[in-house]
Amino acid sequence: MILKSTIKKIAKKYLVGKIRTPFVKNINLDLTKNQKRVLISYIDYFSTTNFSAKIGHTNNLESVQIINVFKEMGYIIDVVYCNAVESLNFFTCEKYDVIFGFGEVFYEISKLNPNAKIIIYVTENHPELSLKKELERNNYFYERTRKKIPLRRSGVFYKEEHFKNIDYAIIMGEIKPFKKYGIPIYNIFPTGFLNQKYIFKSRNLEESRKNFLWLGSNGAVHKGLDLLIEIFQRNPEITLHICGFNSEEKYLKIPKLKNIINYGRIDIQGDKFLDLVEKCSYIILPSCSEGFSTSIATGMLHSMIPVVCKDTGFNRLNNNAILLEDYKIGYLEEEILSLSKKNINELKKFHEEVYVYARRNFMIKDFTKNFEKIIKEINNENK
């Protein structure tokens, strides 16, 4: 039985808007049918997102399609915010056939349902690797600035113990770190945002090859923005355009230079973004660890060439990306300057190939088709 104090605690936290929706139960329930039940432990946007307004992340779109796939397969669906441990009492009484997602709720309910198919959905790099790589970057930042910066990305949604009881893994990034679990592993791409007014056309490549876009969010040092600022500061002939930088100002200052331009948050559906697309040949994200960044998918959907670090979530792109071998300043600077002088004919072809690849892999219809195929395959297997 749920205590009144627990209910009050949940109401106080969620109903005032700190987190919009802690859980929704019994989606697709049909009392005339014998149905299986799935718990989806994921993000907290399921029932309150206004899809006619600006959406901050493509996982809002993907979450809808995840629910739809399970709905079409006839499941009763319970949805919970992945770290809403205050809500656990609402789910401990249920017996689940499938538990899907990540986070503390995923882990705790999985332990109570040993007969369920446990599917972890990994949108980041392996937690052990993510922590190691983020600490490396923070130490490198300290070496250069004498400023200590806290962890921003690692350990929030994924912990090593969360992988103890899993039966399957759906991975957005690199598969290799997860092979040690000896379970079936599936790869999936995220979706990107698409400006509906965008039309593929040739850029002024002589100029655009000197322009790089960093499109990010929280964790600027994790995502290598500090490295880029240092490089572009001393190379005025190339230009860095920064979008989405909204944290860490106390640690990382963006200098006021003609070749380093900070736009703040930007509307992907707006004309300013289309101007940047036309101006920039490259979308650059020297991140230490990703699943697969939706900002890169977004850039590629607008024919921008991705410049990313190898083994950080993007290896599947193969020849459709510039895969950087290192993140140290000297190496990065040399590679960026080389890209700014890239042969025009090669660059033109590269833009076209990236555009075609992105349109075949990063649309919401592609995500839905791939996710449905994976879940149906898992559903047909005996545990």
Side-chain angles (χ1 to χ4, degrees):
M1 187 174 178
I2 300 166
L3 298 174
K4 287 184 179 180
S5 60
T6 303
I7 296 173
K8 285 181 180 179
K9 189 176 182 182
I10 293 171
K12 183 178 180 181
K13 181 172 182 180
Y14 293 108
L15 298 184
V16 296
K18 288 183 180 179
I19 296 177
R20 288 182 283 181
T21 308
F23 64 86
V24 181
K25 294 194 71 174
N26 296 317
I27 299 170
N28 200 42
L29 173 64
D30 186 338
L31 298 176
T32 68
K33 295 180 180 178
N34 182 20
Q35 296 170 279
K36 292 183 178 180
R37 185 180 287 269
V38 58
L39 175 70
I40 299 176
S41 173
Y42 193 31
I43 55 171
D44 58 325
Y45 304 109
F46 290 95
S47 65
T48 57
T49 298
N50 182 1
F51 286 93
S52 62
K54 295 177 186 176
I55 297 173
H57 199 286
T58 59
N59 56 21
N60 296 316
L61 309 177
E62 293 153 13
S63 66
V64 172
Q65 296 309 101
I66 288 169
I67 291 173
N68 281 335
V69 166
F70 282 108
K71 182 179 177 182
E72 288 173 10
M73 293 172 67
Y75 280 87
I76 303 167
I77 303 159
D78 292 347
V79 176
V80 60
Y81 172 57
C82 58
N83 282 339
V85 291
E86 301 90 342
S87 301
L88 278 170
N89 284 337
F90 290 90
F91 300 94
T92 54
C93 60
E94 303 288 0
K95 293 299 177 185
Y96 290 100
D97 299 280
V98 175
I99 298 172
F100 169 89
F102 53 80
E104 289 297 326
V105 175
F106 169 86
Y107 175 58
E108 293 297 332
I109 299 301
S110 294
K111 289 190 292 185
L112 297 176
N113 289 267
N115 296 321
K117 292 181 178 180
I118 313 299
I119 310 169
I120 195 164
Y121 184 48
V122 188
T123 61
E124 299 178 3
N125 211 335
H126 189 281
E128 200 172 51
L129 193 59
S130 177
L131 177 60
K132 177 185 175 183
K133 295 298 183 182
E134 188 168 359
L135 287 171
E136 278 181 11
R137 291 295 183 92
N138 286 3
N139 290 336
Y140 189 45
F141 182 74
Y142 178 76
E143 286 174 19
R144 295 171 3 252
T145 67
R146 286 296 180 255
K147 293 180 181 178
K148 290 186 177 181
I149 190 167
L151 292 171
R152 298 287 295 176
R153 308 284 297 191
S154 302
V156 178
F157 297 114
Y158 300 92
K159 297 175 182 176
E160 181 65 35
E161 63 262 29
H162 294 178
F163 293 82
K164 283 183 179 178
N165 303 312
I166 57 174
D167 300 308
Y168 308 90
I170 302 176
I171 311 289
M172 279 191 177
E174 310 300 342
I175 283 181
K176 187 177 178 181
F178 299 91
K179 287 187 175 180
K180 65 181 182 180
Y181 299 113
I183 59 171
I185 298 174
Y186 302 86
N187 250 158
I188 195 167
F189 280 126
T191 56
F193 283 121
L194 177 63
N195 187 308
Q196 298 300 324
K197 293 183 285 185
Y198 175 70
I199 299 172
F200 178 79
K201 60 182 179 180
S202 182
R203 297 160 169 83
N204 177 353
L205 298 175
E206 289 278 358
E207 290 301 318
S208 66
R209 64 183 178 174
K210 301 174 187 175
N211 286 265
F212 297 74
L213 171 65
W214 183 91
L215 179 61
S217 57
N218 294 331
V221 172
H222 181 105
K223 293 176 179 289
L225 181 58
D226 60 314
L227 309 174
L228 298 178
I229 288 173
E230 193 166 327
I231 290 166
F232 281 79
Q233 268 185 302
R234 58 185 186 223
N235 291 282
E237 71 277 17
I238 53 177
T239 301
L240 176 64
H241 304 266
I242 301 169
C243 294
F245 176 68
N246 58 6
S247 65
E248 298 173 345
E249 290 90 346
K250 64 184 286 188
Y251 306 103
L252 183 61
K253 302 294 183 184
I254 298 177
K256 294 182 179 179
L257 296 171
K258 287 184 179 180
N259 71 318
I260 299 179
I261 307 166
N262 181 20
Y263 299 84
R265 295 193 67 176
I266 191 167
D267 181 9
I268 301 298
Q269 301 300 327
D271 291 338
K272 175 58 72 176
F273 182 73
L274 290 181
D275 291 341
L276 285 171
V277 167
E278 188 171 350
K279 191 172 289 184
C280 301
S281 271
Y282 304 103
I283 180 163
I284 185 166
L285 192 75
S287 176
C288 64
S289 180
E290 298 287 331
F292 186 103
S293 171
T294 55
S295 69
I296 292 298
T298 296
M300 293 178 71
L301 283 169
H302 299 88
S303 71
M304 283 188 277
I305 298 165
V307 183
V308 292
C309 290
K310 189 178 179 182
D311 299 329
T312 59
F314 305 101
N315 288 2
R316 278 187 294 161
L317 292 177
N318 296 313
N319 295 329
N320 294 289
I322 307 294
L323 292 173
L324 302 165
E325 297 285 345
D326 195 6
Y327 65 88
K328 295 296 177 66
I329 295 285
Y331 169 82
L332 275 183
E333 185 171 20
E334 186 176 332
E335 291 296 310
I336 289 169
L337 290 174
S338 176
L339 290 172
S340 73
K341 299 167 186 173
K342 192 170 181 65
N343 178 274
I344 295 300
N345 292 327
E346 291 179 9
L347 195 60
K348 183 176 184 294
K349 184 182 179 184
F350 209 160
H351 278 298
E352 293 168 354
E353 291 172 348
V354 163
Y355 175 75
V356 171
Y357 183 88
R359 291 301 176 111
R360 290 175 178 171
N361 289 283
F362 302 143
M363 304 291 283
I364 190 65
K365 63 180 177 60
D366 303 307
F367 174 87
T368 306
K369 180 178 70 174
N370 293 332
F371 185 79
E372 182 179 27
K373 181 181 178 182
I374 293 167
I375 295 300
K376 283 185 175 179
E377 185 173 326
I378 292 173
N379 190 61
N380 291 333
E381 289 186 0
N382 293 320
K383 181 169 177 178

